Amino acid sequence: QISCCGIMPSSRGPMLSGVRYRPFPLAEKEVLKESTEQSPGLIRLTFSLSTPEDTLGFGQPGTAVKVRPPGSWLRSRPYSICSSPSRAGSFQLLVKLYPGGRVSGHLNTLQTGQAAWFAKTRTKPMAECVRKAGLIALGVGISDCIHTARSLLEGGASCG
């Protein structure tokens, strides 16, 4: 089981058992694209870990976390972590700002120092002997594929 820097293992059982949310403070917010009537905006959020030496403690595939807005245990949303799993001291999320989006709206209103509540999502281990793989991503999910592809290539998989 993995438990580092507050990201707890998900041992799903009866509703919500094993899913532990924990607060992480916002260190930086960067607007990458302003929202328009035609398309949602995009922000990159950097959250601090407990110490500058800490890393998330889990890698590819599935570097995703669930985020829940305040006062809601049932309405959460998964987000892909766009920073390297080995990044020390912090992690980053890309967030599309959907009109009326409850969780994305909450994340967009956070100010530096305020915390968001995260839980690790369930992941499926990647086979050690993978030599060919297909990756499919929609929207900002491409950020998760970048680190998965890098991990596959470092493990001996080939391009093409």
Side-chain angles (χ1 to χ4, degrees):
Q1 287 192 356
I2 299 168
S3 177
C4 178
C5 314
I7 302 295
M8 300 297 177
S10 175
S11 56
R12 309 264 174 143
M15 191 155 133
L16 297 179
S17 69
V19 178
R20 296 187 183 106
Y21 286 89
R22 186 159 167 189
F24 290 89
L26 178 67
E28 185 180 343
K29 182 194 303 188
E30 181 182 359
V31 176
L32 301 176
K33 180 183 173 293
E34 295 287 344
S35 296
T36 67
E37 286 186 25
Q38 294 78 25
S39 66
L42 183 65
I43 56 175
R44 179 175 33 226
L45 302 174
T46 303
F47 291 92
S48 298
L49 296 172
S50 299
T51 71
E53 299 81 32
D54 283 343
T55 63
L56 278 175
F58 62 94
Q60 297 301 329
T63 53
V65 289
K66 281 186 145 191
V67 180
R68 71 171 173 84
S72 175
W73 285 98
L74 299 176
R75 296 197 184 262
S76 63
R77 236 180 111 71
Y79 287 91
S80 296
I81 295 170
C82 64
S83 55
S84 169
S86 60
R87 179 184 176 126
S90 65
F91 64 95
Q92 295 180 320
L93 301 182
L94 283 180
V95 178
K96 266 190 182 177
L97 301 174
Y98 292 103
R102 187 169 180 175
V103 180
S104 66
H106 163 65
L107 289 171
N108 191 35
T109 63
L110 287 177
Q111 300 297 314
T112 301
Q114 291 181 312
W117 288 81
F118 294 92
K120 182 181 181 295
T121 61
R122 185 186 331 191
T123 61
K124 295 179 182 173
M126 192 166 31
E128 303 244 348
C129 61
V130 172
R131 294 294 171 244
K132 292 187 178 192
L135 302 175
I136 299 171
L138 303 171
V140 297
I142 190 69
S143 63
D144 204 24
C145 286
I146 292 167
H147 299 294
T148 300
R150 182 176 293 130
S151 178
L152 286 166
L153 290 171
E154 288 171 356
S158 62
C159 294

